[in-house]
Amino acid sequence: MQSFDIAIVGGGMVGLALARALKDTGLRIAIVEGTTPSKISLVILIFVSLH
């Protein structure tokens, strides 16, 4: 079982923006989404992971 320091509920624009803001903090972040991500969310997630 993996453990995380913070769980962000919602993988929409706000949740992904928060994940981006916390990216360099050293925290282990989980994004929890109840539905299949939309195409724009996937694009944002890829952008966040590359920067």
Side-chain angles (χ1 to χ4, degrees):
M1 179 181 206
Q2 291 183 325
S3 63
F4 298 94
D5 298 312
I6 188 168
I8 299 171
V9 179
M13 291 181 69
V14 173
L16 294 178
L18 178 57
R20 172 67 173 101
L22 296 172
K23 184 181 123 185
D24 296 323
T25 63
L27 295 170
R28 291 171 295 183
I29 303 166
I31 301 172
V32 180
E33 177 58 52
T35 61
T36 303
S38 66
K39 288 181 182 178
I40 189 65
S41 292
L42 292 174
V43 169
I44 294 169
L45 183 58
I46 291 168
F47 178 79
V48 166
S49 66
L50 294 176
H51 290 87

